[in-house]
Structure formats: structure tokens, C-alpha cells
Amino acid sequence: MFTEVLGLALKVEAELRFRRFESVLAGLEKQSSVRSRGVVPAERLQRAIRGVYRVLPFEPTCLKQSLIFCRAWRKRGLTAELRIGVQKEGGVFAAHAWVEDGAGNVLTDPREGFSPVALPAIRDSRASD
């Protein structure tokens, strides 16, 4: 599990640095599932992601962790929807990313008070990368 998550983390880090966000989302949507990997409990996958970021020289943001979780979950043929929400409290604006299953159940890092926003429409943007 560690090596799989490490590879996904490095891919996410590179994509967020060198591709437009719409392209990162499009890659997430086009990901194919490989049902042979077996189901892993959400908590175990989250622990693996945290463990990988203890050895990487990158900040483990909720967006990065959610993208990695989505990719690993979808590789197993499971439903994973990236959500990004915002809130303004006491004059301070904040954003948060998390993952939900197809039924709206939160799979990662639940936080109260964040209103989900619509993500950009995904189109094939390989030609403009």
C-alpha cells in the first residue's frame, strides 16, 4: 500500500505544479478502475497517505490528500467524489477538500461548516497542457 500511495502522491505533486487544475480534475475523472486490488478500509488508506507525507518534503494539504484518496479508491472500482468547500467565519475565508462516496457519506477528513462549490466543467484539455 505504501508504494502505491507514494507513487500517487508524487504524481499528484507533479500535476498540481505543472498542469492546470482542470487537467488534474479531468485526469481524476478518466481514471480507470482495476477491481483486482481489493478493498482497503478508508482509515487504512488515510493512514498510508499520512505516512507517505511524513517522508516526502511536501506539505500534505487536504486537496492533495483527497486527490490521492480518490485515485486509490477508484483504482479499486469504488466510488469517490472530490468535494471542495468554502466558509467565511469571523471575516476569515477558508477552503477545504474532502472525499465522499456515491451516497454522500464523507470518507476523508470531515469538517463542519464548509459549503461545497461546483467544480469546473471537465473537458479534454490535453491539447492545451
Side-chain angles (χ1 to χ4, degrees), residues 54-100:
R54 281 195 284 275
V55 300
L56 289 176
F58 307 114
E59 180 183 356
T61 67
C62 57
L63 176 61
K64 294 173 187 178
Q65 292 179 33
S66 294
L67 288 168
I68 295 165
F69 188 99
C70 275
R71 288 179 181 205
W73 208 246
R74 287 178 177 184
K75 277 185 175 183
R76 288 160 173 79
L78 302 168
T79 303
E81 300 296 330
L82 177 68
R83 299 286 184 246
I84 297 176
V86 296
Q87 75 175 11
K88 186 174 181 183
E89 190 172 305
V92 177
F93 177 81
H96 180 58
W98 67 94
V99 179
E100 294 180 358

Side-chain angles (χ1 to χ4, degrees), residues 11-115:
K11 181 174 182 171
V12 164
E13 290 289 340
E15 287 180 351
L16 288 173
R17 282 172 173 72
F18 301 112
R19 296 178 73 192
R20 293 187 5 246
F21 188 61
E22 291 86 356
S23 284
V24 175
L25 292 178
L28 183 65
E29 292 300 318
K30 291 179 183 177
Q31 181 174 349
S32 62
S33 65
V34 180
R35 296 179 192 268
S36 64
R37 291 189 180 261
V39 177
V40 173
E43 299 81 24
R44 182 173 172 215
L45 178 54
Q46 288 178 306
R47 276 195 312 273
I49 294 168
R50 286 191 302 270
V52 162
Y53 272 98
R54 281 195 284 275
V55 300
L56 289 176
F58 307 114
E59 180 183 356
T61 67
C62 57
L63 176 61
K64 294 173 187 178
Q65 292 179 33
S66 294
L67 288 168
I68 295 165
F69 188 99
C70 275
R71 288 179 181 205
W73 208 246
R74 287 178 177 184
K75 277 185 175 183
R76 288 160 173 79
L78 302 168
T79 303
E81 300 296 330
L82 177 68
R83 299 286 184 246
I84 297 176
V86 296
Q87 75 175 11
K88 186 174 181 183
E89 190 172 305
V92 177
F93 177 81
H96 180 58
W98 67 94
V99 179
E100 294 180 358
D101 65 11
N105 299 307
V106 177
L107 298 172
T108 64
D109 198 16
R111 297 216 180 144
E112 297 294 322
F114 285 89
S115 301

